[in-house]
Amino acid sequence: MRFDHIQTNKNEMKDIHEFFKGEMIAFGKWVSEKRKNEGKTLDELAKITGIDKSYIHRLEKGERTNPSFITVYSLATALGKDIREIIKLA
């Protein structure tokens, strides 16, 4: 499937990213708190999810604000949260 016909303006994409940036920072904080409350290390969470531990660390610190859906899904599932509940938070 090709999407050549869809035109987006760089400012629109920037606005969309900024809109979700705050939500993803909140998600990263949730991951950090939930992980620590469950007594999991970054290494353990990385092993469970298959996500690089440095990426998880940067997400928790708010340095990464554009995780893919599969990353959000994997972290939420590993930490016992239904992805539908995460979507409702956003």
Side-chain angles (χ1 to χ4, degrees):
M1 179 177 278
R2 294 188 54 161
F3 296 97
D4 296 348
H5 63 285
I6 299 174
Q7 293 187 0
T8 56
N9 137 354
K10 287 184 181 180
N11 288 334
E12 287 175 347
M13 293 306 293
K14 187 176 179 182
D15 290 344
I16 291 168
H17 177 60
E18 287 301 315
F19 177 77
F20 286 108
K21 183 177 180 179
E23 302 302 328
M24 289 298 103
I25 290 172
F27 176 70
K29 288 180 182 178
W30 175 83
V31 168
S32 178
E33 290 172 11
K34 185 74 170 169
R35 176 182 62 78
K36 291 173 184 173
N37 287 341
E38 291 188 7
K40 289 185 171 92
T41 65
L42 280 169
D43 286 321
E44 291 169 331
L45 187 57
K47 186 174 181 179
I48 292 166
T49 62
I51 300 168
D52 185 76
K53 79 174 188 178
S54 65
Y55 185 90
I56 297 170
H57 176 74
R58 291 191 314 262
L59 183 66
E60 289 182 350
K61 299 296 180 196
E63 296 169 8
R64 296 297 306 223
T65 58
N66 60 344
S68 68
F69 176 80
I70 195 69
T71 297
V72 173
Y73 177 82
S74 298
L75 290 168
T77 302
L79 295 170
K81 191 80 158 178
D82 187 305
I83 191 64
R84 290 172 290 197
E85 293 178 46
I86 294 295
I87 292 170
K88 286 179 191 174
L89 294 175

